[in-house]
Amino acid sequence: MKREEITAKWAELGARERDAWIAEAVFGWERTNGIIDAILPQYTTDISAAWALVDKSAEFGGMSVSFTCSRNGARRYTVETYANGVAFVVAAGSTAPEAIGLASIIAALTEVSADVAV
């Protein structure tokens, strides 16, 4: 998928739908009569669940999470994922789990050569 397609789909989904998409694309879960909501980690709303995505990112080069807070109190989290030492996905969100989830799904579904930044 192209980054634009991924972010457009992401914008249309609710938190639990995003969680299910992450479980499938990043961790290889398969839906059989739907994913059971009770066991599905809350990757996009719970930082401890999102941290599993950070750990998983080590398989493709790692992840960096940064936080910015403006004078008016607006918060923004930015995540970069790496392949071969090159940052190839940059994603942002209003919460850390949301930004981590978006970066993870983009990294999982986007094919990028080692010398091309997205």
Side-chain angles (χ1 to χ4, degrees):
M1 290 179 82
K2 293 182 181 177
R3 180 189 176 98
E4 296 79 22
E5 295 169 322
I6 295 167
T7 55
K9 180 175 177 177
W10 183 267
E12 295 173 359
L13 300 176
R16 295 308 280 160
E17 293 166 316
R18 290 174 177 176
D19 295 337
W21 193 24
I22 289 168
E24 291 171 316
V26 177
F27 292 103
W29 289 28
E30 293 184 22
R31 287 188 194 219
T32 53
N33 298 330
I35 294 176
I36 301 171
D37 199 45
I39 64 167
L40 180 64
Q42 296 177 345
Y43 297 116
T44 58
T45 57
D46 177 10
I47 191 63
S48 62
W51 213 253
L53 296 168
V54 175
D55 291 340
K56 181 77 171 171
S57 75
E59 293 178 13
F60 56 82
M63 181 178 285
S64 170
V65 181
S66 62
F67 168 73
T68 307
C69 185
S70 67
R71 287 184 179 191
N72 69 1
R75 297 178 181 193
R76 185 147 181 93
Y77 295 83
T78 305
V79 176
E80 294 179 339
T81 60
Y82 300 90
N84 300 319
V86 176
F88 77 95
V89 172
V90 177
S94 58
T95 68
E98 179 184 1
I100 291 167
L102 179 56
S104 296
I105 200 83
I106 292 170
L109 297 177
T110 304
E111 292 185 23
V112 178
S113 67
D115 57 356
V116 177
V118 174

